[in-house]
Amino acid sequence: MDQQSLFLCLCFLFFVLVFLYIWLSTSKTTGKNLPPSPRKLPIIGNLHQVNQDPHISLRSLAKRYGPVMQLHFGSVPVLVVSSADAAKEIMKTHDLAFANRPNSSIWDGIFYNGKDVVFAPYSEYWRQVKSICVLQLLSNKRVRSFQIVREEEVALLVEKIKESGSKPVNLSELFYALLSNVVSRIALGRKYGITTEGGKDNSFKELFQNIAQLIGYFSVGDYIPWLFWVDSLNGLKGRVEKASTEVDVFLEGVIRDHSVALDNGASSDDLLYNLLEIQKQNTNSAFSIDKDSIKGVILNMFFDGTDTTSAVLEWTMAALIKHPDIMRKLQNEVRDIGRGKSTISGDDLENMHYLKAVIKESMRIYTPVPLLVAREAMQDVNVMGYDIKAGTQVLINAWAIATDPTLWDNPEEFIPERFLNNPVDYKGLHFEFIPFGAGRRGCPGIQYAMAINELALANLVHIFDFALPDGKRFEDLDMTAETGMTLHKKSPLLAIATSRV
């Protein structure tokens, strides 16, 4: 046997021994009652069974192995929850035990190493910054105080659509711009970023959509540490570094503008101004925030307030256009309540019950974040009779729960009426419908998101009739989704809007 053949044989033997060692070491029985699990491969575990649409592939696996199953992503145990009862145990019964976030090189790289709100580990720091965000931006009182901002920006949206005349408009772009402008004004004090439809450079939108994709990816190095180099080889590490650099340049400029104004005695009521004031006042206290903390929090508010919220509006309008009978029913309600008015105000929304049902049904079928942001067990805990060890990651498939035929009649059909005279709501108390999550790590921006989406949708259906361009039939509208943590339409929503007001 020549030296080359001997070398190849030794390499093969080495890898066989490595495979056997990892297989045996991760397959040891512990005597505990573990959740059912599909067979895993050496090294990669069950990663090969999760495709580019994880919420869909995980629902398929759950149909075979049950609503509580355990996978292994590399060497990391991952609990996948696909039932309302199990979600309730995670987010209510054992909420504190599962309040942590797992380590993620992607999240850390973009969101300042856990100094934000959404991806930060459970700690006193997280509790403090979440409290600041709720108090300064997301409480019911604060959301109501921003009504004039919402109404002004929706009025500008309406005017832009009217200017298009009989030409098709890109509603996806316009919705993203609307939410970007609203969150800019209330969080940063003025508009930053993108414009639409033949206007300025829209690289800002592209940056945030790129981030939405990145945070939905699996990093090989996070699950198989000794294969960390794969993230460099496949370009993931470079994309994360590029996105984080671009975000940091933007946020540095925003903070610099505010800091100069603050030093010159200016006063404002936006979130960033208040964060800078807290930073100045609390430098010697037990809790303090630095510049990275401010950047992380602002990035959260800007990203979540734009990306996921615009996705809900995009899917809801697409569903209405695809179902003209539902569109007419909604228009009848809104136009009856808004009779004699050129626009709908925030005060008109309270009695628009069908409008609220339409948005709920849209979030049920097109759950904005189908797999809620991952959690991690901080201690050993028993869930639905199964023993879950500390360090286990938890993925809650909110979309699978929202389309569970044992909970919903005709779950694949768009039927807003199911939410009329129905107490089920999205605020985290009904675990068959959790588009915003629940418990300590539930989204604190529910009221903000619903206020702007209800106002925008009501005005659009009040003022415009919609048709598809090029004579396309409503039923032919493409509803294919794009991969990422946030569920967006793969193709932009183009429509011809005819004004009736």
Side-chain angles (χ1 to χ4, degrees), residues 254-276:
V254 173
I255 292 174
R256 184 170 57 251
D257 292 345
H258 269 64
S259 297
V260 170
L262 196 60
D263 291 340
N264 291 332
S267 178
S268 179
D269 196 31
D270 59 78
L271 176 62
L272 179 51
Y273 172 84
N274 287 297
L275 288 173
L276 290 170

Side-chain angles (χ1 to χ4, degrees), residues 349-364:
L349 299 174
E350 184 177 351
N351 295 320
M352 294 185 181
H353 304 297
Y354 197 66
L355 172 79
K356 299 177 190 300
V358 164
I359 297 178
K360 287 180 184 179
E361 179 69 347
S362 170
M363 291 192 296
R364 186 189 66 82

Side-chain angles (χ1 to χ4, degrees), residues 155 157-167 169 331 335 341-343 459-467 495-501:
L157 167 69
V158 167
E159 287 305 311
K160 288 175 184 175
I161 295 176
K162 284 183 177 180
E163 289 170 3
S164 68
S166 59
K167 297 179 181 178
V169 290
Q331 286 175 326
R335 292 172 181 179
K341 297 182 176 182
S342 60
T343 60
N459 275 279
L460 291 176
V461 301
H462 176 61
I463 296 169
F464 299 104
D465 293 315
F466 294 90
I496 296 173
T498 305
S499 174
R500 56 173 290 275
V501 175

Side-chain angles (χ1 to χ4, degrees), residues 35-222:
S37 176
R39 296 191 64 178
K40 59 182 182 292
L41 295 178
I43 309 295
I44 66 172
N46 302 103
L47 279 171
H48 65 293
Q49 294 175 294
V50 182
N51 61 26
Q52 63 178 1
D53 295 310
H55 60 291
I56 297 176
S57 56
L58 291 176
R59 184 179 72 167
S60 298
L61 284 172
K63 288 179 179 178
R64 292 181 58 190
Y65 297 97
V68 180
M69 64 177 177
Q70 182 165 291
L71 306 181
H72 281 83
F73 293 170
S75 59
V76 178
V78 179
L79 185 71
V80 181
V81 170
S82 306
S83 77
D85 289 340
K88 183 177 181 179
E89 287 211 18
I90 297 291
M91 296 189 288
K92 184 178 180 180
T93 308
H94 303 294
D95 184 31
L96 180 58
F98 291 102
N100 203 24
R101 295 292 191 216
N103 291 325
S104 167
S105 58
I106 298 174
W107 299 352
D108 286 348
I110 296 174
F111 290 92
Y112 296 92
N113 293 307
K115 288 197 170 183
D116 64 321
V117 180
V118 175
F119 302 106
Y122 184 74
S123 63
E124 181 60 26
Y125 169 84
W126 171 80
R127 288 191 290 271
Q128 293 282 356
V129 293
K130 180 184 177 183
S131 176
I132 292 171
C133 290
V134 171
L135 180 65
Q136 300 294 342
L137 186 66
L138 303 173
S139 67
N140 289 339
K141 180 180 179 181
R142 292 292 282 168
V143 169
R144 287 194 298 271
S145 74
F146 297 128
Q147 180 170 314
I148 186 63
V149 173
R150 294 191 294 271
E151 291 179 349
E152 288 175 355
E153 291 302 326
V154 169
L156 290 174
L157 167 69
V158 167
E159 287 305 311
K160 288 175 184 175
I161 295 176
K162 284 183 177 180
E163 289 170 3
S164 68
S166 59
K167 297 179 181 178
V169 290
N170 187 332
L171 292 176
S172 299
E173 291 278 357
L174 290 172
F175 294 159
Y176 206 98
L178 167 69
L179 273 302
S180 172
N181 290 336
V182 171
V183 76
S184 288
R185 289 181 62 181
I186 64 178
L188 308 180
R190 66 178 178 86
K191 296 182 187 181
Y192 286 88
I194 67 167
T195 333
T196 57
E197 298 271 313
K200 306 172 201 170
D201 176 34
N202 70 346
S203 59
F204 191 61
K205 173 176 180 287
E206 294 171 359
L207 169 61
F208 278 84
Q209 288 185 328
N210 182 39
I211 289 175
Q213 283 190 326
L214 288 173
I215 61 178
Y217 288 165
F218 291 109
S219 164
V220 174
D222 288 344

